[in-house]
Amino acid sequence: MEWQPDEQGLQQVLQLLKDSQSPNTATQRAVQQKLEQLNQFPDFNNYLIFVLTRLKTEDEPTRSLSGLILKNNVKAHYQNFPAAVADFIKQECLNNIGDPSPLIRATIGILITTISSKGELQTWPELLPQLCNLLNSEDYNTCEGSFGALQKICEDSSELLDSDALNRPLNIMIPKFLQFFKHCSPKIRSHAIACVNQFIIGRAQALMDNIDTFIESLFALAADEDSEVRKNVCRALVMLLEVRIDRLIPHMHSIIQYMLQRTQDPDENVSLEACEFWLTLAEQPICKEVLSGHLVQLIPILVNGMKYSEIDIILLKGDVEEDEAVPDSEQDIKPRFHKSRTVTLQHEGGEGEEGEDIDEDDDDDDDTLSDWNLRKCSAAALDVLANVFRDELLPHLLPLLKGLLFHPDWVIKESGILVLGAIAEGCMQGMVPYLPELIPHLIQCLCDKKALVRSIACWTLSRYAHWVVSQPPDSHLKPLMTELLKRILDGNKRVQEAACSAFATLEEEACTELVPYLSFILDTLVFAFGKYQHKNLLILYDAIGTLADSVGHHLNQPEYIQKLMPPLIAKWNELKDEDKDLFPLLECLSSVATALQSGFLPYCEPVYQRCVTLVQKTLAQAMMYNQHPDQYEAPDKDFMIVALDLLSGLAEGLGGSVEQLVARSNIMTLLFQCMQDPMPEVRQSSFALLGDLTKACFPHVKPCIAEFMPILGLNLNPEFISVCNNATWAIGEIAMQMGRTDKKEEGDCSGSDMQPYVGLVLNNLVEIINRPNTPKTLLENTAITIGRLGYVCPQEVAPMLQQFIRPWCTSLRNIRDNEEKDSAFRGICMMIGVNPGGVVQDFIFFCDAVASWVSPKDDLRDMFYKILHGFKDQVGEENWQQFSEQFPPLLKERLSACYGV
C-alpha cells in the first residue's frame, strides 16, 4: 500500500511553507523552530516530496521551496531516513523528472544530485540507467528534466563516474551525450555539451576514446544561434587547449578566427568565456608561433573589451563623485589573510628578496566588481600576452593608445589608462621612450573630474613606479607623490583606496628616496585617519607599515613619532581583542616598531602585554575546544600568529631593551606551546620569534634550550617550506649565542654547550641542502646554519664536510657581505682546518665562494688566505697552474688580486 498524507498534516506543512516566505524575522524564527519539531517525525520528508511532486494545485514557488527544504534535510541527515521514506523520495523524483514546470524539474534535479552525492550513486543503481533511458522520451519536458539532473550529477560526481566503483558508466553515457549535440532543442544541446565538458579536465578515458568525435561535434555547433550553446562550445575549447592541445593544433588557425568572433559576441557570457581562450593560450609554449599573425585583429578586440560596460558603471555608482561620508557596509570588506613572517637574507644587487610567493594582488583595479567580467578578463589577457610578446605587441597598440588616452569620452579614456597599466610589465622596455610625456599626462588624469578615471590613473602609475623612481626625483617622483597624496584625501572612497595602494607600491620602489618628504607624507596619512571609513582604514594601515619598512630608521625622529604614534595608539586602544581589524594594525605596528627601534620604547609596554594576552587567550580557547569540541568554538588562530609576529617586530626593533618585558611575562612558556601547534603558520611565526628573542635577550632563552632543540629538529621538514626555513634560522642564531656564552665562560672553543644538540639537527640540514628543487631562501638559511654549527662545534660537523660543501658554496655566493655570511664562512674555514680532505674534490667551488666576498673582515681574509695558499703549497706550483686554468677569467682575476694566488 503506497504512502498517503494525512490531510491535517498536509495543511500544517503547507502553512509552514507559506509562513517561511514571510519577510518578518519573528515569523522566520518560529518557522525554524517548527521545522526542527517536524523533523522528529520520520515521514515529515514524505510530506515535503509529496508537495513538490504531487500537489499540482499549489503555486510553483511553494512546491519548489518544499523540495529545497527536503534537499537541506537530505544534506543534514539522509543517513537517518527510514528505508521506506528514502525509497518513496527516490521513486517520486524519477517519476516526476518531466514535470511541465521548469522550476519544479530543476528542483527535482537538485534533489536527485544531493541524494546521489551522499554516497548514494552506489546504492541507487537504477538511477543513471533510468535517467539515460528517459533522454529518449518523445516528451520534451522528460528529456530536458533528465538532462538537467544528469548535468548536475556530472558536475558533482565527475570523479566517481570515471572510476571502477560504478563499473564505468561513462562508456555508455559519453557516446549517448554526443548524440544529443544535434538535438533540435537548444536547451538540450546545451545540456549535452555541459555534461561532456565536466570530463575534459579530468581526462576521463571514455571521453579520450571519443575525442575526435567530440571535437568535430563542437565545430559543427560553432555557429549555433543559441548563446548558451555557444558559451559551452567556447568553454570546451578553452579546456581542450589545456588538456588536448595536440588535437586542436591542426585546426588552430580556424579556432583562433572563431574565438576572435566570439570574443566580440553580443552576449557577455559568451564573450567572457571566449576571452578566457587568450589567457589559456598565453600559457602554452606554442602561443607565440600560432598567435603572431593574428595580433593585428586580437589587440583591438581586447582593448575594446576593456571599457566599462553600462552595467558596470551603474553598479560602481560611476556617477557618484563624493561618498566619503557614507559608512561601508560590512559585506564589502573582504576577509584579510595575514602572511606569517619568513626570515630571508639580503642579496647582492638589491634589497632582501621576497620569498618565493607570487604577488597576487597586482591587478586589482576595480575589485568591488570582484565578479570576473569581460573587462577584467581582457585586461588580464593583454597583461599575459604582453609578457609573451614583449615589445612586439607595441606596433599594434601604440596607434590605438593615442586615440584612447586623449579621448573626450571618459569611459574610453579610462580604458586607455587601463591598457597602459596592463602592458606595463611586459612592454616596459619599449614604453620607456614614451614615458617622459605619458607620466605627466597620467599625473594630470589624477585630477580628472570622474572618480573612475582618477582611480585607474592611480593604479596605472603604480605599475610604472619603478621607472619613475629611476629618474631624477624632481622630474616625476615629486609631482607624482604630491598628486597621489592629494588623492589619498580624495572625496571618493574608491579613489582613496586606489591611491593608498598605489602609494604603498611607490614606497616599496622609492625606499629612502622618500626621506626628504617624510613630514609631508605623514601629515597626509595621519589626516586620512580621521577621514576614512572602515574598509579604507585597513588599507591605510598597510600604507603606513610599508612606509616604515621603506624608510627604516629615518622614521626615528621625535617630530615624526609625535605625528604618527598618537593616532595609531588611539586605534589600538579602541579595538577589542576579538576584533579582526587588529590584524592589519598589528602588522603595521610591527613594521613601525622595527623602523623606530629605540623610538618605540615609550609605547612598547602596553603593546607587548596585549600581544602576550592574545597568544594566551588563543591557546586557552584552543585547549577548551580540543577537550570539548561540542561546547566551544575553534579559535581563530590568526590572532595568535599576528601577535607572535608583532612580538618579533618588537624584539628586532628594541633589541636588548625587550629584556625587561620578557622577564616580566610568561612568553617562553607560551612559545613552547606555540612551537608544537598543529597549524604550520603558528609554528612558522613561533620560530621567527624564537630567533629574534635569541638575538635580543638570550639569557631568557638559554634555560629552555634543552626543551626547544628537539622540537626545532622535528620541524626541519621541507614539506612546510616556511616552517622549516624559520626553524633552521633559529637553530643558527641559538648556535651563535651558545658559542658566545661558552667563550665568555671558558676562554676557548674546545667543548661547546651546543655539542649535545648537533646530532638532533645536522643530518636533516645536510639532507635539505642536497635536495633538488629546494627554494633559494631555504637553501641559503640552511647553509648559514650549517656554517654556524661548524663554527661552534667544528669537531662534530667537519666529518660531514664532503657531503655538503658543494651546495653550501653555490647557495651562499649571491648573498651580500653581512653578519650571517661572516659567521658561516668562519665556520667553514674552521671545519676545513679539522678536515681538509673533505673539501679537496670541490675546492673550485670554495674558491668561487671566497671570491664572492667584497670586503671580508681582516681576520676572515687571513683565514681565506691561509687555506688558499695551504692548498696551493700542498699540490705544488705546477698542479696549481693546471687547476687554476679551469677558473673563469673573473674568478682568476679576483683571487690573484685579493689573495695573490
Side-chain angles (χ1 to χ4, degrees):
M1 186 46 205
E2 139 162 304
W3 179 87
Q4 285 298 330
D6 163 73
E7 193 46 44
Q8 202 184 350
L10 191 57
Q11 288 315 315
Q12 250 191 329
V13 171
L14 285 170
Q15 189 53 51
L16 183 72
L17 292 168
K18 295 271 187 288
D19 289 345
S20 67
Q21 293 170 60
S22 143
N24 179 335
T25 21
T27 316
Q28 285 295 341
R29 228 175 284 139
V31 167
Q32 276 318 104
Q33 283 176 328
K34 186 79 179 147
L35 268 178
E36 279 166 29
Q37 286 170 10
L38 289 173
N39 264 321
Q40 305 306 313
F41 296 100
D43 67 351
F44 171 51
N45 293 303
N46 284 5
Y47 283 90
L48 291 173
I49 189 80
F50 188 87
V51 174
L52 174 67
T53 56
R54 304 270 185 104
L55 274 195
K56 316 265 185 202
T57 49
E58 277 302 323
D59 61 294
E60 288 179 14
T62 302
R63 289 171 61 198
S64 172
L65 182 64
S66 183
L68 294 174
I69 291 176
L70 175 55
K71 176 207 75 165
N72 290 336
N73 284 349
V74 167
K75 257 200 161 124
H77 24 245
Y78 185 72
Q79 62 287 354
N80 306 333
F81 284 20
V85 173
D87 289 342
F88 181 63
I89 293 170
K90 289 189 210 171
Q91 207 39 59
E92 283 300 300
C93 284
L94 284 174
N95 290 345
N96 293 279
I97 192 73
D99 192 282
S101 148
L103 177 64
I104 301 302
R105 289 200 298 274
T107 310
I108 293 174
I110 291 173
L111 190 51
I112 288 177
T113 185
T114 309
I115 294 172
S116 66
S117 62
K118 292 298 279 187
E120 286 292 305
L121 265 178
Q122 284 99 323
T123 52
W124 192 357
E126 67 275 21
L127 173 65
L128 293 171
Q130 261 187 290
L131 287 175
C132 285
N133 227 353
L134 291 168
L135 295 181
N136 303 332
S137 166
E138 293 296 304
D139 173 44
Y140 168 79
N141 292 338
T142 305
C143 177
E144 196 278 327
S146 309
F147 241 135
L150 279 166
Q151 185 181 332
K152 294 184 183 88
I153 294 170
C154 292
E155 282 169 17
D156 292 343
S157 312
S158 61
E159 282 177 24
L160 183 61
L161 289 170
D162 186 31
S163 68
D164 286 327
L166 298 175
N167 210 353
R168 306 237 164 232
L170 292 185
N171 294 341
I172 298 161
M173 289 162 70
I174 284 188
K176 178 132 192 136
F177 294 154
L178 289 171
Q179 292 168 3
F180 283 87
F181 277 37
K182 301 187 180 65
H183 196 278
C184 59
S185 149
K187 185 97 178 110
I188 301 232
R189 293 197 296 276
S190 173
H191 276 313
I193 310 172
C195 283
V196 180
N197 282 357
Q198 296 305 321
F199 303 102
I200 299 176
I201 295 294
R203 299 168 196 257
Q205 194 50 51
L207 177 55
M208 295 301 133
D209 295 342
N210 289 282
I211 196 79
D212 292 329
T213 320
F214 177 43
I215 291 174
E216 279 160 35
S217 313
L218 286 172
F219 289 167
L221 292 174
D224 201 286
E225 78 283 359
D226 183 78
S227 62
E228 196 60 25
V229 172
R230 294 197 304 272
K231 182 185 91 175
N232 282 330
V233 170
C234 290
R235 180 173 291 175
L237 289 170
V238 171
M239 290 190 286
L240 286 167
L241 195 56
E242 275 184 60
V243 175
R244 287 307 301 263
I245 195 164
D246 59 311
R247 281 294 186 260
L248 298 185
I249 287 174
H251 316 283
M252 198 49 99
H253 178 77
S254 38
I255 294 177
I256 288 174
Q257 285 304 325
Y258 174 66
M259 285 299 187
L260 286 166
Q261 276 180 308
R262 290 287 70 85
T263 308
Q264 306 171 78
D265 200 285
D267 182 319
E268 183 172 322
N269 293 317
V270 180
S271 54
L272 176 56
E273 209 54 68
C275 194
E276 296 278 355
F277 181 82
W278 314 114
L279 263 179
T280 306
L281 184 58
E283 290 166 6
Q284 304 298 328
I286 61 157
C287 174
K288 216 167 174 169
E289 183 192 326
V290 297
L291 203 52
S292 289
H294 302 279
L295 287 179
V296 62
Q297 294 165 281
L298 174 60
I299 298 304
I301 294 173
L302 290 178
V303 167
N304 193 41
M306 287 164 74
K307 296 198 298 275
Y308 276 125
S309 66
E310 288 173 26
I311 293 279
D312 292 343
I313 295 170
I314 294 165
L315 288 174
L316 288 170
K317 307 190 172 69
D319 49 348
V320 177
E321 293 304 316
E322 276 211 24
D323 60 358
E324 63 175 350
V326 183
D328 294 329
S329 77
E330 286 308 305
Q331 60 266 35
D332 285 350
I333 298 173
K334 290 203 291 223
R336 287 183 83 269
F337 298 103
H338 170 71
K339 228 176 80 204
S340 313
R341 205 176 167 92
T342 310
V343 187
T344 54
L345 297 163
Q346 303 271 299
H347 289 78
E348 276 309 329
E351 286 308 305
E353 291 190 17
E354 278 301 301
E356 273 77 8
D357 41 36
I358 306 0
D359 195 12
E360 64 299 304
D361 52 16
D362 226 14
D363 289 320
D364 252 1
D365 56 302
D366 43 33
D367 59 355
T368 24
L369 267 194
S370 54
D371 315 339
W372 192 234
N373 56 21
L374 185 62
R375 166 190 166 91
K376 290 192 158 187
C377 191
S378 305
L382 188 60
D383 184 347
V384 289
L385 290 171
N387 276 300
V388 172
F389 287 94
R390 302 278 161 189
D391 298 343
E392 290 169 42
L393 217 54
L394 292 176
H396 306 289
L397 257 175
L398 290 170
L400 295 172
L401 259 176
K402 232 8 199 221
L404 298 171
L405 287 170
F406 298 94
H407 201 282
D409 178 352
W410 74 267
V411 177
I412 296 177
K413 174 165 142 186
E414 193 278 344
S415 72
I417 301 172
L418 173 60
V419 168
L420 200 53
I423 60 169
E425 199 184 335
C427 304
M428 183 59 92
Q429 282 324 104
M431 287 306 294
V432 166
Y434 306 98
L435 292 178
E437 68 177 295
L438 277 177
I439 297 294
H441 175 63
L442 286 172
I443 292 175
Q444 234 181 322
C445 293
L446 288 174
C447 314
D448 196 275
K449 59 180 199 302
K450 293 305 282 185
L452 289 171
V453 174
R454 299 198 297 277
S455 62
I456 198 67
C458 291
W459 178 74
T460 293
L461 280 160
S462 76
R463 303 266 288 175
Y464 290 97
H466 186 76
W467 180 83
V468 167
V469 171
S470 70
Q471 303 300 300
D474 284 352
S475 55
H476 303 291
L477 178 62
K478 220 169 152 182
L480 170 59
M481 195 171 56
T482 313
E483 283 310 312
L484 260 187
L485 287 170
K486 288 184 194 157
R487 291 293 69 80
I488 285 179
L489 303 178
D490 200 277
N492 179 279
K493 292 194 288 192
R494 167 180 306 281
V495 179
Q496 294 171 359
E497 177 183 359
C500 248
S501 301
F503 195 69
T505 306
L506 184 63
E507 290 169 340
E508 283 173 359
E509 290 290 349
C511 293
T512 49
E513 298 277 330
L514 297 177
V515 172
Y517 318 107
L518 266 174
S519 183
F520 182 40
I521 294 172
L522 287 170
D523 284 339
T524 305
L525 297 179
V526 168
F527 191 78
F529 251 110
K531 186 178 172 78
Y532 276 13
Q533 297 294 342
H534 187 179
K535 180 180 173 189
N536 286 350
L537 207 48
L538 307 183
I539 298 165
L540 181 62
Y541 293 143
D542 182 53
I544 292 172
T546 308
L547 179 66
D549 293 338
S550 304
V551 300
H553 65 90
H554 297 283
L555 199 56
N556 190 6
Q557 297 292 332
E559 65 151 327
Y560 300 154
I561 297 176
Q562 216 18 66
K563 287 178 199 255
L564 181 59
M565 288 309 296
L568 281 177
I569 294 295
K571 281 286 170 211
W572 169 260
N573 292 331
E574 204 178 287
L575 294 177
K576 299 196 168 40
D577 279 351
E578 299 69 54
D579 193 328
K580 291 203 169 155
D581 284 8
L582 275 175
F583 298 168
L585 180 54
L586 284 155
E587 285 172 31
C588 166
L589 279 170
S590 179
S591 297
V592 170
T594 309
L596 291 184
Q597 298 178 343
S598 59
F600 198 79
L601 272 173
Y603 307 96
C604 65
E605 186 146 4
V607 173
Y608 179 90
Q609 286 310 357
R610 183 166 196 181
C611 288
V612 173
T613 308
L614 284 169
V615 174
Q616 203 157 0
K617 275 190 175 173
T618 312
L619 285 172
Q621 204 181 333
M623 211 154 102
M624 309 275 265
Y625 171 73
N626 289 335
Q627 289 165 356
H628 309 283
D630 43 343
Q631 294 170 30
Y632 294 97
E633 273 187 30
D636 181 343
K637 289 193 178 169
D638 272 359
F639 284 106
M640 171 156 78
I641 296 167
V642 183
L644 290 166
D645 286 347
L646 175 46
L647 288 169
S648 279
L650 289 176
E652 195 184 333
L654 301 173
S657 315
V658 82
E659 193 276 330
Q660 314 97 299
L661 296 171
V662 173
R664 292 202 296 269
S665 70
N666 61 340
I667 187 67
M668 298 316 293
T669 319
L670 297 174
L671 201 48
F672 182 61
Q673 290 173 269
C674 293
M675 285 164 51
Q676 300 175 75
D677 197 273
M679 187 174 175
E681 290 80 1
V682 176
R683 301 200 302 279
Q684 175 183 338
S685 293
S686 328
F687 295 138
L689 176 56
L690 176 61
D692 283 315
L693 289 175
T694 299
K695 286 171 82 167
C697 53
F698 190 59
H700 291 289
V701 179
K702 195 172 182 190
C704 313
I705 293 297
E707 285 185 298
F708 285 7
M709 282 309 290
I711 300 173
L712 285 162
L714 284 176
N715 279 279
L716 297 178
N717 167 9
E719 237 183 292
F720 300 106
I721 295 290
S722 302
V723 180
C724 182
N725 180 66
N726 291 2
T728 303
W729 173 73
I731 292 168
E733 289 298 340
I734 289 170
M736 291 310 288
Q737 295 293 342
M738 296 284 255
R740 282 190 192 109
T741 48
D742 294 337
K743 282 177 197 164
K744 272 186 221 139
E745 290 158 14
E746 300 165 29
D748 76 321
C749 270
S750 52
S752 159
D753 287 357
M754 196 62 193
Q755 222 170 321
Y757 307 113
V758 174
L760 288 172
V761 297
L762 186 59
N763 287 338
N764 288 357
L765 292 169
V766 172
E767 200 176 312
I768 291 167
I769 204 168
N770 283 296
R771 256 175 104 243
N773 304 330
T774 304
K776 208 167 62 199
T777 310
L778 179 56
L779 279 180
E780 291 159 0
N781 273 317
T782 306
I784 296 274
T785 294
I786 291 175
R788 290 176 147 192
L789 286 170
Y791 177 61
V792 238
C793 303
Q795 300 293 344
E796 282 70 23
V797 186
M800 296 188 76
L801 200 51
Q802 199 178 337
Q803 293 177 43
F804 62 74
I805 185 72
R806 191 167 171 168
W808 190 95
C809 291
T810 48
S811 58
L812 288 185
R813 63 188 303 271
N814 298 322
I815 299 292
R816 293 190 195 183
D817 296 7
N818 62 19
E819 272 302 295
E820 283 155 323
K821 184 170 174 174
D822 179 274
S823 53
F825 271 83
R826 286 173 194 275
I828 273 293
C829 292
M830 289 170 69
M831 289 187 274
I832 292 173
V834 174
N835 175 17
V839 71
V840 172
Q841 284 178 325
D842 297 304
F843 199 68
I844 187 166
F845 290 93
F846 176 74
C847 296
D848 176 58
V850 166
S852 76
W853 277 88
V854 183
S855 46
K857 293 185 183 155
D858 291 344
D859 58 336
L860 182 59
R861 185 191 295 272
D862 290 343
M863 291 164 108
F864 292 158
Y865 184 90
K866 286 197 180 95
I867 292 173
L868 292 170
H869 279 273
F871 189 83
K872 185 178 171 179
D873 300 343
Q874 193 77 40
V875 297
E877 187 65 43
E878 198 178 319
N879 287 337
W880 177 263
Q881 279 313 318
Q882 269 183 316
F883 173 66
S884 59
E885 281 309 303
Q886 313 163 28
F887 290 1
L890 195 69
L891 174 58
K892 216 170 177 166
E893 247 170 75
R894 263 191 122 154
L895 288 177
S896 87
C898 303
Y899 302 99
V901 289

